[in-house]
Amino acid sequence: MSITDGFWAPRREIVRTRSIPQQERQLRAKGQQFDALRLQWQPGDEHEPHIFWESDVAKWIEAASYVLAREYDTELDASVDEAIELLAGAQQEDGYLNVYFTVVRPGQRFTDLQDAHELYCAGHLIEAGVAHYDATGKTDLLDIVRKYADLIDREFGPGGVAEGGYDGHQEIELALVKLAKATGDEKYLRLAERLIDNRGAVPHYFDLERDRRGGVEGYWDHVFPDRPSKERWYKEYNQSHLPVREQTEVVGHAVRAMYMYTAMADLALHNGDASLRAACERLWDDLVSTKLYVTGGIGALHSNEGFGPAYFLPDADGYAETCAAIGLVFWAQRMALLTGDAKYVDVLERALYNGALSGASEDGTCYFYGNPLASEGDVTRSEWFGVACCPPNFARLVSSLEHYIYAVDDLGLTVNLYVAGQARFKHAGSTVTLTQSTDYPRGGDIDFTVNVAETTRFELRLRVPEWASNVDLRVNGDVVSAASENGYLLLDRAWSMGDQISLALQMRPVRLWADQRVAAARGRVALQRGPIVHCAEEVDNSAPVRSLAITREAEIRVEYDNATGLDQLVVPGVVETFAGAHLYSSIPPRVRPAEVRTVPYFSWANRGRGTMAVWLRESLAGD
Amino acid sequence: MSITDGFWAPRREIVRTRSIPQQERQLRAKGQQFDALRLQWQPGDEHEPHIFWESDVAKWIEAASYVLAREYDTELDASVDEAIELLAGAQQEDGYLNVYFTVVRPGQRFTDLQDAHELYCAGHLIEAGVAHYDATGKTDLLDIVRKYADLIDREFGPGGVAEGGYDGHQEIELALVKLAKATGDEKYLRLAERLIDNRGAVPHYFDLERDRRGGVEGYWDHVFPDRPSKERWYKEYNQSHLPVREQTEVVGHAVRAMYMYTAMADLALHNGDASLRAACERLWDDLVSTKLYVTGGIGALHSNEGFGPAYFLPDADGYAETCAAIGLVFWAQRMALLTGDAKYVDVLERALYNGALSGASEDGTCYFYGNPLASEGDVTRSEWFGVACCPPNFARLVSSLEHYIYAVDDLGLTVNLYVAGQARFKHAGSTVTLTQSTDYPRGGDIDFTVNVAETTRFELRLRVPEWASNVDLRVNGDVVSAASENGYLLLDRAWSMGDQISLALQMRPVRLWADQRVAAARGRVALQRGPIVHCAEEVDNSAPVRSLAITREAEIRVEYDNATGLDQLVVPGVVETFAGAHLYSSIPPRVRPAEVRTVPYFSWANRGRGTMAVWLRESLAGD
């Protein structure tokens, strides 16, 4: 599969040439992740290895592997091999692989699952091992993680030191599903099931392990001083407040939630587990009807890096971690696979093009941890973070975009995303190549060319995005009427070499209003065109964006901006200026007409500091 | 002085007949404040006396004393005497009077000034002693607090155990100024000065005392786990980050700030201290131009019960503690005395009639700790609080309203508030009685009658509130032109028995807009009439208030509501209803015309739960 897309290919190239090398430099810095793997740290030394650090290395290897899969690069391959060698060196005889519990707290492995992220790191190592094997065919990392996974399987199985346990930060569950697929060994699927099924069981594992530690609180005790008095809150924080099948509301830390729901959907699909599927569907409904930002961002609350109550979606004060939007992409993809319903891909696309893509700067070297929907001008991206989960997560998502565009099944091919490139798949013994060309998301016209040696019958399912106000579908120039099923247009026919399919999705700029229970959006609208949610930035407007308001009935114009290479939206409105001398005044604000100009949300904060808002006020009477 | 006012007299009667008895019941409950004063608590017993508890008793005595000052009440007098006896019994030989450091942490007095509220409690006891003496002429409590103040004067003076110290919660400073006035002993003024002058000096006293405790953190350590890493924040929290004369921004815990600024203004007035006055004026400007709610509430942030950054004035999520608005009344009064400028009384009146008065329910038995400017329907007043500062603070403010109406000086009389009743003062040997009649704040007409045995020349200064859009002033029926000075109309003439002064303040409902840096007020207006800030409550409207919007140009009607005895404002507007099925929709909201009805903010939440907002959206075009 190849991606030649005008929108994505340059962004993927930036990740390859800028983000991945920059992240590597951070990992290689003195006393940081690579050094830690040498296991030479001793108590009293500076640069105490952090409990997260394997996950940073692993996500970087995973991202690099996706790059290597599409284009061999000697230098990158050598760097990855070096990292794998370090991991091999850090792995213990019995397969255990975690620097922190080897050099900082030896002898305490699997005793602080609630806090210490041990299986979280293991999960990322497993994902890296699978990606590296898929990309290069090399088995060295896969062997390492398999040996570690085998140890985990024993220790979390009957008679193991952590029997009945599971990690406070979900991640390994979805990784084990990948490992099972890569190795064909169902044992890993069973382990993932156990970890999911154990979660939230009573007596509660995190209470049991604390008792076994003699009541000593875990690694995060010092930052969670109120944990003893807020038991429910902290169990919701890591979604262990109830057995997963009894959970009905999306709660707690957003990334943990997404990774868990992803694994639940994976297992529901693999096992045909109806109760797990029902739980996923209930949780999804709760998310999209009460806790999803219009940007596809999720997890509005800073305090838990996660979900607040229903409709709690503040703008400037919202959190919306990059990793959480990425996690939503994962979950949505699995839900689409599980159900065949395009509504999940609508959300996937919303998160991908907006709340996830905003996570990195245009030049691929600076990152947002949180992605608020408004700024008073004090928000900028950072080069790196003490907890550096987002940068490599972004890199691995963008570098693995291939995984999200198509879905193949026995009946044919589903096209979920419109991204120019080529896809090759097997159907009933034939190799089919489908070439997609489009300038999406700038335009909604997508052309497909079928390349198949002999005429082959298969279903082609084309997703009709929720925002498409009109759809025109042609095959070889002729308008065809296709059945619409679960949000897809279904073309079930015999395809021959050179068949042309043309899909035209009408992509008009639209206003979006929110349920009024979303306080930050009251009296406001967001602008969207195609999958791209817009925001106003101060640099494009004649006043701070807090002063802008747009007219409800006015037409929205699309204008290409040469400087950024992006489409802007232009809409008549006003600038309102406070007319008082102090904080309050009975003099009405001064109002002057002004065009309000917006840019794609993902692109904000690339041109210096300034105010920004997604939700724009609606202006008074025909001003 | 008497108050016969139609607005205030019934409210003061409710405080007398409902609030004060209800508070007394709380204080007398088993194991609570009264019991604690018996000093019988022992380690291991339940109901450990709290560090705050003397302050609750003291504020209740103070409020009761104000009531006794205007109307003798055998039962209340006996109750107060009983409380004073308990205090007398709890006082140690050397004058020390604090239950917590007598029975819970004996031997540790004055070692945890940063956290333990010792002088804060002492300050309230002193205020109570002064009020009780003023009201009853009895000296028993005054003697108790004087003896305690003398001990504090020694211990905080040269060679004392707390030399150079001051309390983490300001309060005693303003109390000592009152004690100096009541006793004529300037020593207490000097002590207040020392406490103010020591604050923020380097080396920092709270660091020194912690070092003397062997590095052990103070009483609030367990709720301030991040204190060691946020030194500046915690020094700002109690306004000890800088010497007071170098402070330029209102920061930290709002009540502490108000009590400190009040004492600073007191001392600036008494000592003619220009640098202290300049600091007060700078801090005032910062408050009113960036950190004051339109209700007169202050301290928007929950985390420090105090000030956030400039323009941080969220509505539903704001704090605005009742005690902080009360503290602002104190400070504003002192600033007006210090400067003779009515602008301070404008803010006093705003806080008094809105953000302070909202602190109690109509029936005087339930209280708000925080006074947010909007509610999603989940906010109600409580009967009592674990930290019960607000209820008795409210009671003492309302019961001492006499202190805020007039100011007497050598030149004559200033009328600051329009409250019906009689004032008697001496001027140049004559006794002047001024009778004020008005239905303010319902109307802006105020009539005064002068009662003086012989014709006496004095200045009468009548405040022109900032909201008065037009003013008509007559003496004995004739329009007079009076000089306007610092926000007062100045009548300097010889007054004779029976002279009539009629002041007509035009009291039109107005819209108030806020500086757009106040996010919660963008695209919104508040309604005010006279000193009364309004809010919309769901019970009076045809939809949750989040759906309402009012038309910018439409006239605002005043309508008396029989059920509540309050004026409502009625303004044309619309109800907007979200038209989508889920969280977001491209279908415009449904809009229908509707009258929007508002009530005085102070009266909200007296008729059950429901949504409420002070800041109302402005509606689209002439709907």
Side-chain angles (χ1 to χ4, degrees):
Chain A
M1 210 197 130
S2 68
I3 291 177
T4 54
D5 190 76
F7 183 87
W8 283 109
R11 288 183 166 77
R12 285 153 57 87
E13 193 60 8
I14 283 172
V15 166
R16 186 180 77 83
T17 59
R18 307 290 301 272
S19 311
I20 288 176
Q22 182 245 21
Q23 291 169 19
E24 185 181 341
R25 281 193 299 278
Q26 296 283 357
L27 298 174
R28 285 180 180 273
K30 186 168 177 317
Q32 299 301 302
Q33 282 84 339
F34 273 34
D35 276 357
L37 287 168
R38 300 179 216 282
L39 302 184
Q40 292 177 351
W41 184 89
Q42 294 194 325
D45 289 356
E46 52 179 358
H47 303 302
E48 181 182 298
H50 198 280
I51 57 169
F52 297 137
W53 277 1
E54 287 83 14
S55 72
D56 301 330
V57 176
K59 273 186 280 190
W60 175 81
I61 293 176
E62 188 185 341
S65 297
Y66 297 136
V67 166
L68 290 173
R70 69 171 193 266
E71 182 178 346
Y72 185 70
D73 174 327
T74 325
E75 212 176 316
L76 185 60
D77 189 41
S79 274
V80 169
D81 282 345
E82 186 188 339
I84 293 172
E85 253 177 70
L86 287 170
L87 288 166
Q91 186 165 38
Q92 307 296 296
E93 272 301 297
D94 61 358
Y96 187 75
L97 175 43
N98 182 295
V99 172
Y100 181 79
F101 283 100
T102 302
V103 301
V104 185
R105 280 165 69 184
Q108 295 182 46
R109 58 162 84 157
F110 305 135
T111 62
D112 186 9
L113 294 176
Q114 177 175 224
D115 282 356
H117 287 59
E118 237 167 330
L119 298 194
Y120 166 81
C121 287
H124 278 302
L125 288 169
I126 292 167
E127 285 200 271
V130 172
H132 186 248
Y133 167 70
D134 285 347
T136 63
K138 299 185 204 176
T139 60
D140 45 356
L141 185 55
L142 187 67
D143 291 341
I144 290 170
V145 301
R146 212 173 159 170
K147 190 171 175 192
Y148 189 14
D150 292 343
L151 171 78
I152 293 168
D153 188 47
R154 290 193 302 277
E155 294 293 24
F156 285 71
V161 297
E163 182 181 355
Y166 46 90
D167 203 86
H169 197 315
Q170 302 91 323
E171 152 62 25
I172 195 170
E173 300 83 356
L174 75 88
L176 288 166
V177 175
K178 290 186 175 184
L179 185 61
K181 273 191 256 184
T183 62
D185 189 341
E186 291 261 316
K187 171 175 69 179
Y188 303 120
L189 217 51
R190 300 289 87 80
L191 174 56
E193 277 166 33
R194 281 211 308 278
L195 295 173
I196 287 289
D197 291 348
N198 287 342
R199 202 166 198 93
V202 175
H204 199 283
Y205 189 83
F206 297 152
D207 296 337
L208 297 176
E209 69 166 8
R210 191 191 51 228
D211 293 346
R212 281 203 293 268
R213 288 193 308 261
V216 177
E217 279 289 344
Y219 183 86
W220 293 115
D221 183 35
H222 61 295
V223 292
F224 295 153
D226 58 352
R227 187 154 61 180
S229 64
K230 288 175 69 183
E231 204 183 321
R232 171 86 185 186
W233 195 92
Y234 279 100
K235 290 196 158 77
E236 288 186 349
Y237 174 68
N238 51 36
Q239 295 84 33
S240 68
H241 55 299
L242 284 171
V244 301
R245 286 174 182 76
E246 295 170 29
Q247 297 189 18
T248 55
E249 279 180 43
V250 165
V251 295
H253 188 277
V255 177
R256 298 175 198 230
M258 291 305 110
Y259 289 1
M260 180 172 87
Y261 305 153
T262 299
M264 286 164 62
D266 273 337
L267 292 170
L269 177 62
H270 283 282
N271 301 337
D273 183 330
S275 64
L276 212 46
R277 174 174 167 157
C280 285
E281 290 177 337
R282 268 197 321 268
L283 291 162
W284 181 272
D285 285 347
D286 182 53
L287 178 75
V288 300
S289 52
T290 70
K291 291 165 189 165
L292 176 71
Y293 278 110
V294 71
T295 56
I298 55 171
L301 202 58
H302 284 257
S303 63
N304 63 353
E305 300 187 296
F307 298 100
Y311 307 104
F312 177 81
L313 294 163
D315 54 0
D317 299 325
Y319 193 60
E321 184 180 338
T322 302
C323 283
I326 292 170
L328 178 56
V329 169
F330 300 160
W331 185 28
Q333 182 203 32
R334 307 311 202 276
M335 290 304 289
L337 286 171
L338 176 61
T339 63
D341 195 326
K343 73 178 184 181
Y344 297 102
V345 187
D346 284 333
V347 172
L348 187 161
E349 188 176 51
R350 184 176 290 283
L352 175 67
Y353 280 91
N354 303 290
L357 194 51
S358 61
S361 59
E362 191 187 8
D363 69 358
T365 61
C366 291
Y367 305 93
F368 275 140
Y369 212 100
N371 295 269
L373 270 67
S375 162
E376 287 297 306
D378 49 355
V379 178
T380 51
R381 292 184 183 82
S382 305
E383 282 205 6
W384 200 246
F385 308 98
V387 175
C389 51
C390 299
N393 221 355
F394 180 85
R396 70 176 180 141
L397 175 73
V398 173
S399 302
S400 62
L401 187 66
E402 291 87 345
H403 302 180
Y404 302 93
I405 303 172
Y406 301 98
V408 181
D409 59 35
D410 293 345
L411 299 174
L413 185 74
T414 301
V415 186
N416 280 317
L417 297 181
Y418 297 111
V419 176
Q422 275 200 337
R424 179 166 300 147
F425 70 106
K426 296 257 185 203
H427 185 77
S430 301
T431 296
V432 183
T433 302
L434 192 74
T435 303
Q436 184 180 164
S437 39
T438 180
D439 67 347
Y440 195 95
R442 290 202 59 209
D445 292 344
I446 306 112
D447 294 314
F448 298 91
T449 308
V450 177
N451 183 329
V452 60
E454 59 221 43
T455 295
T456 306
R457 184 177 192 97
F458 62 88
E459 285 185 10
L460 187 63
R461 289 173 225 102
L462 303 174
R463 176 174 151 259
V464 179
E466 55 175 348
W467 49 259
S469 43
N470 195 23
V471 179
D472 181 274
L473 179 63
R474 289 163 202 254
V475 175
N476 298 326
D478 300 325
V479 173
V480 294
S481 77
S484 177
E485 205 178 276
N486 289 330
Y488 297 96
L489 293 176
L490 196 151
L491 291 169
D492 181 8
R493 55 188 281 168
W495 299 96
S496 306
M497 174 67 87
D499 277 348
Q500 297 276 343
I501 304 127
S502 300
L503 177 68
L505 303 168
Q506 192 172 50
M507 194 182 268
R508 277 207 306 236
V510 294
R511 289 169 171 78
L512 286 184
W513 288 268
D515 188 303
Q516 287 176 325
R517 285 169 286 190
V518 179
R522 280 176 207 153
R524 292 166 186 261
V525 283
L527 303 186
Q528 178 173 338
R529 181 169 173 270
I532 305 295
V533 175
H534 277 243
C535 67
E537 279 200 286
E538 191 163 343
V539 63
D540 303 304
N541 288 285
S542 58
V545 300
R546 59 175 164 261
S547 312
L548 307 176
I550 64 176
T551 310
R552 179 169 291 184
E553 308 296 341
E555 202 189 331
I556 307 167
R557 215 166 69 232
V558 183
E559 261 186 34
Y560 182 74
D561 177 44
N562 269 312
T564 59
L566 296 168
D567 283 327
Q568 300 191 343
L569 300 180
V570 186
V571 56
V574 297
V575 171
E576 284 201 4
T577 315
F578 179 61
H582 302 298
L583 200 46
Y584 305 108
S585 171
S586 59
I587 307 166
R590 284 186 292 272
V591 180
R592 64 173 170 81
E595 279 193 334
V596 173
R597 194 170 281 270
T598 68
V599 297
Y601 173 75
F602 70 75
S603 75
W604 87 277
N606 277 316
R607 295 170 294 166
R609 287 171 194 257
T611 54
M612 180 279 290
V614 169
W615 292 110
L616 301 172
R617 269 198 290 135
E618 294 194 278
S619 81
L620 294 171
D623 300 295
Chain B
M1 210 198 131
S2 68
I3 291 175
T4 54
D5 190 76
F7 183 86
W8 283 109
R11 288 182 166 77
R12 285 153 58 87
E13 193 60 8
I14 283 171
V15 166
R16 186 180 78 82
T17 58
R18 307 290 302 271
S19 311
I20 288 177
Q22 182 247 20
Q23 291 170 18
E24 185 181 341
R25 281 193 300 277
Q26 296 283 357
L27 298 174
R28 284 179 181 273
K30 186 167 178 318
Q32 298 302 302
Q33 283 85 339
F34 273 34
D35 276 357
L37 286 169
R38 299 179 217 282
L39 302 184
Q40 292 175 351
W41 184 89
Q42 294 192 328
D45 289 356
E46 52 178 359
H47 303 303
E48 181 182 297
H50 198 281
I51 57 167
F52 297 137
W53 277 2
E54 288 84 13
S55 72
D56 301 330
V57 177
K59 273 186 280 190
W60 175 81
I61 293 176
E62 189 186 340
S65 297
Y66 297 136
V67 167
L68 290 172
R70 69 171 195 264
E71 182 178 346
Y72 184 70
D73 174 328
T74 326
E75 212 175 316
L76 184 60
D77 189 42
S79 274
V80 169
D81 283 345
E82 187 188 338
I84 292 171
E85 252 176 71
L86 288 170
L87 288 166
Q91 187 165 36
Q92 307 296 295
E93 271 302 296
D94 61 359
Y96 187 75
L97 177 43
N98 182 295
V99 172
Y100 182 79
F101 283 100
T102 302
V103 301
V104 185
R105 280 165 70 184
Q108 295 182 48
R109 60 161 84 156
F110 305 136
T111 61
D112 186 8
L113 295 176
Q114 177 175 227
D115 281 356
H117 287 59
E118 238 166 327
L119 298 193
Y120 165 82
C121 286
H124 277 303
L125 288 169
I126 292 168
E127 285 200 271
V130 171
H132 186 248
Y133 167 69
D134 284 347
T136 63
K138 298 185 203 175
T139 61
D140 47 354
L141 185 55
L142 186 67
D143 291 341
I144 290 170
V145 302
R146 212 172 159 170
K147 191 172 173 190
Y148 189 15
D150 292 342
L151 170 78
I152 293 169
D153 187 48
R154 290 192 303 277
E155 295 292 25
F156 284 71
V161 297
E163 183 182 354
Y166 47 89
D167 202 86
H169 197 316
Q170 304 89 324
E171 153 61 25
I172 194 171
E173 301 83 355
L174 75 86
L176 287 167
V177 175
K178 289 186 174 182
L179 186 61
K181 274 192 256 184
T183 61
D185 190 341
E186 292 260 315
K187 173 176 67 180
Y188 303 120
L189 216 52
R190 300 289 87 80
L191 174 55
E193 276 166 33
R194 281 209 309 277
L195 296 173
I196 287 289
D197 291 348
N198 287 342
R199 200 165 200 94
V202 175
H204 199 283
Y205 189 82
F206 297 152
D207 295 338
L208 296 176
E209 69 166 9
R210 190 191 53 230
D211 292 345
R212 281 202 294 268
R213 289 192 309 261
V216 176
E217 279 288 344
Y219 183 85
W220 294 114
D221 183 34
H222 62 295
V223 291
F224 296 154
D226 58 353
R227 188 154 59 181
S229 63
K230 289 176 67 183
E231 203 182 321
R232 171 86 185 188
W233 195 93
Y234 279 100
K235 289 195 159 75
E236 288 187 347
Y237 174 69
N238 53 36
Q239 296 84 32
S240 68
H241 56 300
L242 284 173
V244 300
R245 286 174 183 75
E246 295 170 28
Q247 298 189 17
T248 55
E249 278 180 43
V250 166
V251 295
H253 188 277
V255 177
R256 297 174 199 230
M258 291 305 111
Y259 289 2
M260 180 173 87
Y261 305 153
T262 300
M264 286 164 62
D266 273 338
L267 293 170
L269 178 62
H270 283 283
N271 300 338
D273 183 329
S275 64
L276 214 44
R277 173 172 167 160
C280 286
E281 290 177 336
R282 268 197 320 270
L283 291 163
W284 181 273
D285 285 347
D286 182 53
L287 178 74
V288 299
S289 51
T290 69
K291 292 165 188 166
L292 177 71
Y293 277 110
V294 71
T295 56
I298 55 171
L301 203 58
H302 284 257
S303 63
N304 62 354
E305 300 187 295
F307 297 101
Y311 306 105
F312 177 81
L313 295 163
D315 54 0
D317 299 324
Y319 193 61
E321 184 179 337
T322 301
C323 283
I326 293 170
L328 177 56
V329 170
F330 300 160
W331 185 29
Q333 182 203 32
R334 306 311 201 277
M335 291 304 289
L337 286 171
L338 175 62
T339 63
D341 195 327
K343 74 178 184 182
Y344 296 103
V345 187
D346 284 334
V347 172
L348 187 160
E349 189 176 52
R350 184 175 291 282
L352 175 67
Y353 281 91
N354 303 290
L357 194 52
S358 60
S361 60
E362 191 187 8
D363 70 358
T365 61
C366 291
Y367 305 93
F368 276 140
Y369 212 100
N371 294 269
L373 270 66
S375 163
E376 287 297 304
D378 49 355
V379 178
T380 52
R381 292 184 183 84
S382 304
E383 282 206 5
W384 199 247
F385 307 98
V387 175
C389 52
C390 299
N393 221 354
F394 180 85
R396 71 176 179 140
L397 175 72
V398 173
S399 303
S400 63
L401 187 66
E402 292 86 346
H403 302 179
Y404 302 93
I405 304 172
Y406 301 99
V408 181
D409 58 36
D410 292 346
L411 299 173
L413 185 74
T414 301
V415 186
N416 279 317
L417 297 181
Y418 298 112
V419 176
Q422 276 200 336
R424 180 166 299 148
F425 69 105
K426 295 257 184 201
H427 185 78
S430 300
T431 296
V432 183
T433 303
L434 191 74
T435 303
Q436 184 182 162
S437 39
T438 181
D439 68 347
Y440 194 94
R442 291 204 58 209
D445 293 342
I446 307 111
D447 295 313
F448 299 91
T449 308
V450 176
N451 183 329
V452 60
E454 60 222 41
T455 296
T456 305
R457 185 177 191 97
F458 63 86
E459 284 185 10
L460 187 62
R461 289 172 226 101
L462 303 175
R463 176 173 152 260
V464 179
E466 55 176 346
W467 48 259
S469 44
N470 195 23
V471 179
D472 181 275
L473 179 63
R474 289 163 202 253
V475 175
N476 298 326
D478 300 326
V479 172
V480 294
S481 76
S484 178
E485 204 178 278
N486 289 329
Y488 295 97
L489 293 176
L490 195 153
L491 291 169
D492 180 8
R493 55 188 281 169
W495 299 97
S496 305
M497 174 65 87
D499 276 348
Q500 297 276 344
I501 304 126
S502 301
L503 176 68
L505 303 168
Q506 192 172 50
M507 195 181 268
R508 277 207 306 235
V510 294
R511 288 168 171 79
L512 286 184
W513 288 268
D515 187 303
Q516 287 175 325
R517 285 169 287 190
V518 179
R522 281 176 207 153
R524 294 168 184 259
V525 283
L527 303 185
Q528 179 174 337
R529 180 168 173 270
I532 305 296
V533 175
H534 277 244
C535 67
E537 279 200 288
E538 190 163 343
V539 63
D540 302 304
N541 289 284
S542 57
V545 300
R546 59 175 166 263
S547 313
L548 307 176
I550 64 175
T551 310
R552 180 171 289 184
E553 309 295 343
E555 203 189 332
I556 307 167
R557 215 165 71 231
V558 183
E559 258 186 36
Y560 182 74
D561 177 45
N562 269 312
T564 58
L566 297 169
D567 283 328
Q568 300 191 343
L569 299 179
V570 186
V571 56
V574 297
V575 171
E576 283 201 3
T577 314
F578 178 61
H582 302 298
L583 200 46
Y584 306 108
S585 171
S586 58
I587 306 166
R590 283 186 292 273
V591 180
R592 64 173 170 82
E595 280 193 333
V596 174
R597 196 169 278 270
T598 68
V599 297
Y601 173 74
F602 70 75
S603 75
W604 87 277
N606 277 316
R607 294 171 294 166
R609 286 171 194 256
T611 54
M612 180 279 290
V614 169
W615 292 110
L616 302 172
R617 269 197 290 135
E618 293 194 277
S619 81
L620 293 171
D623 300 293

